[in-house]
Amino acid sequence: MWSDCDYLVRNVADRDFVEMQKCVGINYHAAGILFDLQLRRSFKPSSCHRFDALHVFLSNGIVPLELMLFLKAAKRIAGAYFVDFRQYAGRLGWQSPGCYKPEKAFSAAREKASDTSLKAGASEIFSAYPVFRQWAIDTFLHNERMRAPLRSLLLLLDVVDLVRQATRRLEDADSFASGLDTAVFAHLNAFTNAYGRDEMKPKHHEATHLGDQLRKDKVLLWTFTAERKHIVAKKVLEFAKKTKLF
């Protein structure tokens, strides 16, 4: 960890410094604890850490980012956008096992609020992505100009399918992890082909570590249950208008 930090310090003026941070997986902060040499005897790097698959993919992660990139490409190339998916999902009348309808994550309000990433909750995206995948296939499969974005999207959602399975303990976790590695890197190549390296985020790098985590833990850990508890705290403040006393 410290060697990576020292590497960033030595190359802070490099023109590819932003890319270096993505590759290393550390953001450079001159005043950060990891970059303070005097504090290293007192504050050591963690001996163990995990990337959370929920945040890598669903919560401000790769999936809402790519959904927005895909929709923008669809609008530019084929004139299809949020409303087209809403109409498709409405005709299907599909209902998830929970309380979410797929079109809710792509409502007019979400369309207005979304720019670089789809503004929707992890559970909403989790429930809606199978229907979005089918809409994308039905609508763009034979559109040559949409081939690269469609391929990237489908490979990403294949990865999400694997992640869902890996959150349950597996009999042959090592073999499954190898399949996950293959799927992640296939998506990264397709994403680069569709949108270019400049659109990549640090979470694309984090996704490449999930296979190793699965090999070590024999199950892929994520924080869906813990994150769900935030709903209770939010409801407490739902009708609070003044926060001066908090």
Side-chain angles (χ1 to χ4, degrees):
M1 174 70 76
W2 281 334
S3 63
D4 288 340
C5 291
D6 294 340
Y7 169 78
L8 292 178
V9 172
R10 291 195 304 271
N11 294 279
V12 69
D14 194 287
R15 65 179 183 177
D16 295 323
F17 187 66
V18 173
E19 183 71 14
M20 290 179 182
Q21 292 179 92
K22 291 181 181 180
C23 292
V24 172
I26 300 173
N27 288 327
Y28 173 70
H29 295 285
I33 290 177
L34 288 174
F35 296 94
D36 191 317
L37 299 180
Q38 293 181 346
L39 290 177
R40 287 189 176 180
R41 285 182 294 180
S42 302
F43 294 91
K44 301 183 183 301
S46 61
S47 58
C48 177
H49 71 276
R50 294 291 184 268
F51 292 108
D52 173 34
L54 170 68
H55 286 85
V56 170
F57 289 105
L58 298 172
S59 182
N60 296 315
I62 299 171
V63 175
L65 168 72
E66 184 150 349
L67 287 175
M68 201 63 209
L69 288 171
F70 182 86
L71 283 166
K72 287 182 177 180
K75 182 179 181 181
R76 183 179 66 256
I77 295 171
Y81 207 44
F82 279 76
V83 64
D84 299 275
F85 173 71
R86 290 198 297 268
Q87 292 171 354
Y88 177 89
R91 288 195 303 270
L92 287 183
W94 186 87
Q95 177 69 50
S96 73
C99 59
Y100 298 108
K101 291 186 176 181
E103 56 266 40
K104 180 182 177 183
F106 298 83
S107 66
R110 301 294 175 83
E111 177 180 350
K112 185 177 180 180
S114 300
D115 181 20
T116 58
S117 183
L118 178 67
K119 298 299 183 182
S123 294
E124 292 175 313
I125 295 173
F126 197 58
S127 299
Y129 86 81
V131 182
F132 191 92
R133 171 166 49 196
Q134 192 59 47
W135 171 71
I137 293 172
D138 290 346
T139 307
F140 305 107
L141 183 61
H142 301 293
N143 189 322
E144 289 295 324
R145 296 177 63 196
M146 284 293 294
R147 176 172 292 183
L150 180 60
R151 174 174 169 74
S152 180
L153 176 72
L154 295 181
L155 287 172
L156 170 61
L157 299 184
D158 285 347
V159 173
V160 177
D161 289 341
L162 293 174
V163 167
R164 294 180 71 163
Q165 296 177 55
T167 58
R168 299 172 177 86
R169 191 166 292 277
L170 303 165
E171 291 186 7
D172 190 0
D174 290 350
S175 176
F176 197 94
S178 296
L180 179 59
D181 285 337
T182 300
V184 166
F185 282 101
H187 167 252
L188 292 180
N189 288 329
F191 182 90
T192 304
N193 183 52
Y195 304 110
R197 291 176 61 85
D198 289 344
E199 292 293 347
M200 280 196 163
K201 305 299 180 185
K203 289 186 178 182
H204 285 98
H205 171 82
E206 293 173 8
T208 66
H209 290 280
L210 296 179
D212 285 338
Q213 291 181 194
L214 180 55
R215 291 183 184 91
K216 292 176 182 178
D217 301 328
K218 307 307 178 186
V219 66
L220 197 59
L221 304 175
W222 65 358
T223 60
F224 241 122
T225 302
E227 290 285 318
R228 201 173 291 124
K229 296 181 184 297
H230 294 337
I231 297 174
V232 178
K234 288 181 178 179
K235 284 186 175 180
V236 170
L237 294 174
E238 185 174 357
F239 300 103
K241 302 299 180 182
K242 297 181 180 179
T243 58
K244 184 177 181 180
L245 299 179
F246 285 93

